[in-house]
Each structure stands twice: as C-alpha cells, then as structure tokens.
Amino acid sequence: MELLKQRILQDGKVLDGNILKVDSFINHQIDPKLAFEIGKEFHRIFQDTEIDKILTIETSGIAFALCAGYYFNLPVVFAKKQAGRNMSCDVYKGKVYSFTKETEYTISVAHQFLSPGERLLLIDDFLANGQAIMGLMDIAKQAKATVSGVGIVIEKGFQPGSTLLRDLGVRLESLVVIESFKDKKIIFREALK
Ligand code: 5GP
C-alpha cells in the first residue's frame, strides 16, 4: 500500500531492538484518513472471503479493525488486556508475550461476542513474532470459530511471525512488509510481480 509506505518513510522512526515507532499516525495519535484507507484496503483484499466478524486486540488494533468493519459492514470485537469489573465472567482467555513490553499478559473475550462456526478476520497493527495473533487464534479455537484470514497493517518480514502463521496454513495479508532496518533505514519488501 503505497500511501502507507510513504507515510512510514516520512514519519516512522527506527528504534533500538527492531522497533518501528509510528506513534504520530498509528500508535498514539491516529490519522483518520489513513486509517479509513487502511480499512478500505483490507476490504478490497478480503472482499471475496467469507467473514462474519472482525477480531482484534486492544489497543492499537482497534482503529484499523473498526475502519475495516465499516467497509465490510460487520461487527468488530476486541480482546481486552485487562478484565474490568463490568466484564462478564464467561470469557475465553489467551496468553500473549508482548514483543514491545517484554512481558506476558492475558487477553479475554466474553463468550457472548464469539459464536461457534463464526468466520473471523483477525486484524492487528504489527506482526513481529506472531504472539498477539496466536493469542487471538487460541481464543477463536476455544470459541469453535474459524479464522478466515489475518490482516496486518505493518509486517516486519524479518521476524518469525509470518512464517509461523503461514506454516499453520493461515491466509496472511500484510499491507506493507518491512524487509529490514538497515542502519536504521526502513527497507520495504517489494511485492513479487
Ligand atoms: P507480535 O505479537 O507479532 O510479536 O507483536 C505484535 C504486537 O507487538 C503488535 O500488537 C504491536 O502492538 C507490537 N509491536 C511489535 N513490533 C512493533 C514495532 O516495531 N512497533 C510498534 N509500534 N509496535 C510493535
């Protein structure tokens, strides 16, 4: 997605530890026009796929899942990282090891928002080691729902998440794939022609 690549080149910063900082338009401040373009692109890619619901993980996946949900006209569910007192006790739980925070946390989705047989599109902002998506896939499995595809805004192709998911037979579509951070410069993987 050219628009997204240009924005990453313009405003993204490479930090130590293979982290791309994009908090001026994705992770802290959000650019709504770009977010809707991202949602539209996910819809274009997955429009012929059978999907009943979009599932993401708080916090940064929500904006993009919501924009995709708008174009699909489908509900969006986000897994919560902290179960509040207003959350139902009947929840599916998954464990996620956070790449950026280097800690393990639990994600939860109330039983009432996922049903057996539902076909899910999973969406997240980044794919690194694949742990966030694996946590969502675990929850989908507990709910006896199926994963029709995974949509990622920024894939870091040099980290193992994409191989992990493809080896499981998951359809993975990333809007941009980063090949490497060479001397803190962002190198994108070119799509095969
Ligand atoms: P994974 O679970 O695939 O290892 O990592 C994905 C999650 O970690 C995403 O939900 C995202 O929030 C965070 N993440 C991973 N790599 C980066 C990165 O380079 N930059 C930012 N901003 N977040 C990242």
Side-chain angles (χ1 to χ4, degrees):
M1 186 180 173
E2 199 49 42
L3 184 68
L4 178 59
K5 276 189 189 172
Q6 291 311 324
R7 189 61 181 272
I8 293 170
L9 290 175
Q10 186 187 298
D11 293 332
K13 288 194 179 53
V14 179
L15 305 184
D16 289 339
N18 283 331
I19 291 182
L20 178 65
K21 190 170 162 140
V22 283
D23 59 357
S24 63
F25 59 106
I26 286 187
N27 289 132
H28 195 1
Q29 175 170 262
I30 302 173
D31 178 339
K33 274 200 177 148
L34 179 66
F36 274 96
E37 287 302 319
I38 286 171
K40 201 196 276 183
E41 185 65 5
F42 279 134
H43 178 256
R44 189 189 65 76
I45 293 170
F46 287 105
Q47 61 189 335
D48 297 327
T49 306
E50 290 179 320
I51 298 166
D52 302 303
K53 204 169 258 185
I54 295 174
L55 177 65
T56 188
I57 181 165
E58 72 175 356
T59 307
S60 296
I62 297 175
F64 307 103
L66 181 72
C67 292
Y70 172 82
Y71 286 101
F72 280 102
N73 195 21
L74 289 175
V76 175
V77 176
F78 62 94
K80 295 195 173 206
K81 288 183 180 164
Q82 269 156 2
R85 275 196 294 175
N86 60 350
M87 199 169 175
S88 147
C89 310
D90 299 326
V91 292
Y92 302 111
K93 287 189 177 174
K95 290 236 179 290
V96 175
Y97 182 81
S98 165
F99 174 78
T100 46
K101 300 196 179 75
E102 298 182 326
T103 50
E104 191 177 72
Y105 60 92
T106 302
I107 54 171
S108 323
V109 175
H111 287 180
Q112 73 189 107
F113 297 124
L114 288 179
S115 306
E118 265 179 343
R119 296 158 300 186
L120 306 176
L121 172 62
L122 311 187
I123 283 186
D124 202 9
D125 59 340
F126 272 90
L127 182 68
N129 293 329
Q131 296 306 297
I133 293 295
M134 290 299 286
L136 292 178
M137 285 183 37
D138 184 22
I139 283 180
K141 191 172 168 198
Q142 291 171 49
K144 299 188 170 57
T146 58
V147 174
S148 298
V150 173
I152 297 290
V153 180
I154 303 174
E155 173 186 324
K156 291 186 292 179
F158 55 89
Q159 291 183 299
S162 52
T163 306
L164 180 72
L165 297 182
R166 291 208 171 95
D167 284 353
L168 290 171
V170 173
R171 178 178 172 202
L172 168 67
E173 301 282 357
S174 304
L175 303 190
V176 301
V177 180
I178 294 174
E179 185 68 47
S180 64
F181 295 136
K182 199 168 181 291
D183 303 326
K184 302 248 163 126
K185 212 172 139 245
I186 302 161
I187 315 284
F188 291 106
R189 183 177 296 168
E190 294 305 324
L192 294 174
K193 297 255 159 54

